[in-house]
Structures are given as C-alpha cells and as structure tokens.
Amino acid sequence: MQAAPTIRDARRTTNVRRKVAAYVALTKPRVIELLLVVTAPTMILASNGLPDVWLLLATLIGGAMSAGSAGAFNCYIDRDIDRVMKRTKGRPLVTGELTDREALVFAYALGAASIVWLWVFANWLAALLSLAAILLYVVFYSLILKRRTAQNIVWGGVAGCMPVLIGWAAVTESLSWAPFILFLIIFLWTPPHYWPLSMKYKDDYAAAGVPMLAVVRGRAQVGLQVILYAYATVAASLLLIPVAGMGLLYSSVALVSGIWFVAECHRLYNLAIRGQEVSPMRVFHGSIVYLSLLFLAVGVDPLLPF
C-alpha cells in the first residue's frame, strides 16, 4: 500500500513548479509567441505551400529556444533596471526565484541547444542565423544600445527580425529578396510597436536611466515618429506583392490593415499635439493585431488558387 504524500513532498512539488515557472518567465514567453507568429507563415511562403511538418515543428522549437535564450540573457543583463521599473518587478531575478548564476547558466545552455538543434534538424544556415539573432539581441541591443541612445529599439530591433530569415533558410537553405522584405517589415514595425509602450512607462524608463524616445522627447515628437515608421511599414508590406508574387488575399489584408494601423497612429499623434490624454497602449496592442493579420495573410495566400 502506497504511503500518502507528506507535507514535505507537497512543498517540494510546489517548489519545483515555481522553479520551472521562473525559468519559463525568464524566456519572455510573450515575445516568443510573437516571433513564432511570423516564422510559420514565412516557411509556408518559402515552400509556396505547406512545408514538411517535422521541419516546421523543428524550426519553431529551435526558434523558441533561441528567443528564450536571448530573453534570459536580457533578464540577466537588465536585472538592475528591472529592480527599479514597476513593469518588470515580477521578473524572476527581481523576486529571487532564480539566482543570477542559475539564469546565466540557463541562458547559455538554451542558446547552445538551439543552435545545435537547428543545425541537426534544419540546416547550417538556420543555425548560424539563430546564433546571429542571439548575439544581436544580447550584445548589440542589451549591452551596447539600450542604455546609450534613444534609437536603441530601432537598431536593436534587428534581432526581432531574424526569425523570418531563419524560417526561410530552414526551408530553402538560402536567402532571397522576399525574406529580406519580411525582415524590413518587422524592422520598420518595431518602433511604432514599442515606442507607445515606452510612452506608457515613461517614468519607469526615466527612473532606470534608459533613454527611450519618450523619455528624451515630448509626446508630439514620439507620435510623429510613430506615424512615419507606420507609413514606412505599410509601404514595405505592399512591396512584398510584386517581389513575392502575393495574391488577392495578402494584397487586400496588407492594404486594409495598413490603413487602419496608420489611422490609429494618427489618432495618437493628434491627441498628443493637442495636449489631450493619449492612450498609447491602444496603438501598442493594435500593432500586434496588425502584424498578426499581415503574417496570417502571408501564410494563407500561397495556399489559395488566386
């Protein structure tokens, strides 16, 4: 007869669950979700149809590991900032759920595993692009740009564009103009996605000494920059039509959702220049909806006969 679980066993189980949850939080799961949203449609476009299911799953797993490693490194590097900002006070290195050493070992192990995984189950090019993505986010953005310039998220956003190159390379073992157009779309989309968030948490960034655009410039200037990048994003999305031979579905979604996205950015700017209360998170969440719709169309369009 099996003995009933003791209080000690229950506590041990609870501690294990909390530890696992802390490691998961370290990878920034919401960022990973968004990166996977753009990877799968890119692979469908590269295949001009449905890619091999195992290759698709293997690339998504490897991409998630790579992004998770970069997120963990970022949490380790920014742990001093995270302790100051209200938005990040629940992260594992702030709460003490994980030690600095545990986070750093986890980040290195997950990053190495992602590169090996993609090399074995995808190809060498996808693996090298994964390594480049980690280095761009950790070194170029987190260590060099973030605390030094208001343009940090612009150039640092290059790392967030890499999943489309990785996805394309996993299918074709090469790169062409189409994935670079997709790269450009995400690159131009990143500022109007992130700068509204920095408007919301302006005081947090100021307290942490991070020179986000909203900290060093007024709301009207931020709103204007958001509009300009939104127009550029939509223009890049339309450029994909002739370059990749996109059909009616993608063309319609890119145009209609692009007009809506630009209109939301204009609304933010108009409220800012009038000195009225703005709702930057409306643009932040709207940008996610826009990108999701656009890449959904990227993935569905090649499957249609028109």
Side-chain angles (χ1 to χ4, degrees):
M1 184 175 179
Q2 190 174 10
T6 64
I7 295 178
R8 181 178 298 176
D9 291 335
R11 287 177 178 173
R12 186 181 296 113
T13 301
T14 300
N15 289 338
V16 170
R17 289 175 178 173
R18 289 175 59 183
K19 205 76 167 179
V20 170
Y23 278 116
V24 171
L26 200 66
T27 65
K28 300 186 177 180
R30 291 184 180 179
V31 176
I32 293 176
E33 289 174 10
L34 191 59
L35 295 179
L36 297 185
V37 162
V38 303
T39 303
T42 298
M43 295 181 70
I44 294 173
L45 181 61
S47 302
N48 197 29
L50 291 175
D52 179 78
V53 175
W54 167 244
L55 178 62
L56 176 63
L57 291 175
T59 304
L60 292 179
I61 292 170
M65 293 165 65
S66 175
S69 170
F73 273 118
N74 180 257
C75 285
Y76 173 81
I77 294 167
D78 285 353
R79 61 195 186 281
D80 58 328
I81 295 175
D82 291 343
R83 292 188 178 100
V84 176
M85 297 177 62
K86 295 178 182 178
R87 184 174 70 90
T88 55
K89 64 183 180 181
R91 287 182 176 171
L93 293 181
V94 178
T95 62
E97 290 290 342
L98 295 174
T99 66
D100 292 352
R101 184 177 183 277
E102 286 174 329
L104 195 57
V105 169
F106 176 73
Y108 273 112
L110 192 60
S114 72
I115 296 165
V116 172
W117 176 276
L118 286 170
W119 198 300
V120 172
F121 296 111
N123 55 58
W124 66 272
L125 183 56
L128 289 183
L129 288 169
S130 174
L131 173 61
I134 295 172
L135 292 176
L136 282 168
Y137 191 71
V138 175
V139 179
F140 189 53
Y141 172 64
S142 299
L143 289 175
I144 298 176
L145 293 177
K146 185 170 183 177
R147 307 183 192 216
R148 289 179 172 85
T149 171
Q151 295 297 307
N152 49 21
I153 200 62
V154 177
W155 300 106
V158 169
C161 308
M162 295 299 288
V164 294
L165 300 186
I166 295 170
W168 193 280
V171 173
T172 66
E173 203 168 349
S174 64
L175 294 173
S176 62
W177 282 112
F180 282 111
I181 296 298
L182 295 173
F183 179 101
L184 182 62
I185 291 170
I186 301 173
F187 176 78
L188 295 169
W189 166 88
T190 301
H193 165 65
Y194 203 89
W195 278 338
L197 182 71
S198 72
M199 291 177 71
K200 169 73 173 179
Y201 295 102
K202 174 184 174 181
D203 293 340
D204 261 9
Y205 285 114
V210 179
M212 287 296 178
L213 188 65
V215 175
V216 300
R217 295 287 186 271
R219 295 190 308 171
Q221 181 63 32
V222 177
L224 177 60
Q225 291 294 318
V226 165
I227 288 176
L228 294 176
Y229 273 100
Y231 272 112
T233 302
V234 175
S237 73
L238 297 177
L239 185 60
L240 187 67
I241 298 172
V243 170
M246 304 304 290
L248 180 61
L249 175 69
Y250 174 83
S251 302
S252 301
V253 171
L255 183 60
V256 174
S257 63
I259 292 173
W260 168 74
F261 181 43
V262 168
E264 285 295 320
C265 293
H266 267 287
R267 180 180 181 277
L268 176 69
Y269 177 64
N270 291 335
L271 291 173
I273 61 176
R274 293 172 185 169
Q276 299 178 6
E277 184 177 353
V278 298
S279 51
M281 295 305 287
R282 174 169 170 166
V283 176
F284 172 77
H285 292 300
S287 67
I288 296 175
V289 173
Y290 165 73
L291 193 72
S292 299
L293 288 174
L294 190 69
F295 272 85
L296 178 62
V298 168
V300 174
D301 194 271
L303 305 178
L304 300 177
F306 54 86

